[in-house]
Amino acid sequence: WTEIPMGAPSLKNGGSGAHYRWGQSAREVTIAINAGSRRGRDFRVEINRSRVSVAARSCGDEWQHLLRGELQRPVLTDECEWSVEDGSLIIALAKDGRLGAEAEWWTGVLAGEDTLEARTADAVAYAALEGLPEEERHLATKALAMSSGLDAVHALAAKA
């Protein structure tokens, strides 16, 4: 399940769970699950402010849960979406930026997990500072300083 097809989006600043890979930017967490030949109707995706549930049809009317539990941080449910594209189920979770900088950097999709892989870290991709309003730029820089160290902050400042 974690083998993601070639057409899947590049997932930076993330990692992998049992059946999925994930990445994040300053505004969104993206989850990719190998859909194989399945179509949208073969998935059940439920997203609420603090929980997510993803199941795939396995045999007949049986469903296999691929991702289920409490999210690491709250999301803006009305801005979340999912689709099946190029052999991948892609789920976009809109981060709730109203909670401040600490709510922005996720170390995993589900509460209590730390699946963040340092090799996928790309501070510039996380917070494209040139496109953010001044207050959000400040919060993103602060979040990166807390989680990635000062080297990431200096790299972002040089890019801006």
Side-chain angles (χ1 to χ4, degrees), residues 136-160:
E136 288 184 38
R137 187 176 330 140
H138 174 72
L139 291 175
T141 302
K142 192 173 176 181
L144 286 168
M146 292 184 327
S147 60
S148 301
L150 293 176
D151 291 340
V153 173
H154 292 303
L156 285 170
K159 182 81 174 162

Side-chain angles (χ1 to χ4, degrees), residues 1 3-5 32-39 42-43 83-90:
W1 285 102
E3 184 177 317
I4 304 301
I33 298 172
N34 186 347
S37 61
R38 290 178 179 88
R39 299 187 335 199
D42 297 319
F43 289 97
S83 62
V84 176
E85 306 169 13
D86 300 323
S88 293
L89 169 63
I90 306 297

Side-chain angles (χ1 to χ4, degrees), residues 76-145:
L76 300 171
T77 307
D78 291 342
E79 296 179 28
C80 296
E81 55 188 28
W82 66 274
S83 62
V84 176
E85 306 169 13
D86 300 323
S88 293
L89 169 63
I90 306 297
I91 303 167
L93 302 174
K95 293 179 176 181
D96 188 348
R98 300 173 298 179
L99 300 175
E102 291 181 12
E104 293 301 318
W105 186 257
W106 293 26
T107 58
V109 173
L110 300 177
E113 74 177 6
D114 184 357
T115 57
L116 184 64
E117 297 170 1
R119 66 181 172 76
T120 72
D122 182 346
V124 174
Y126 173 75
L129 293 180
E130 62 275 359
L132 295 175
E134 186 174 339
E135 183 177 328
E136 288 184 38
R137 187 176 330 140
H138 174 72
L139 291 175
T141 302
K142 192 173 176 181
L144 286 168

Side-chain angles (χ1 to χ4, degrees), residues 2 4-5 8-16 20-25 28-33 88-91 116-117 119-122 125:
T2 57
I4 304 301
S10 174
L11 299 172
K12 297 185 185 247
N13 302 308
S16 58
Y20 62 93
R21 295 208 34 82
W22 70 279
Q24 66 183 312
S25 67
E28 181 175 276
V29 171
T30 303
I31 302 166
I33 298 172
S88 293
L89 169 63
I90 306 297
I91 303 167
L116 184 64
E117 297 170 1
R119 66 181 172 76
T120 72
D122 182 346

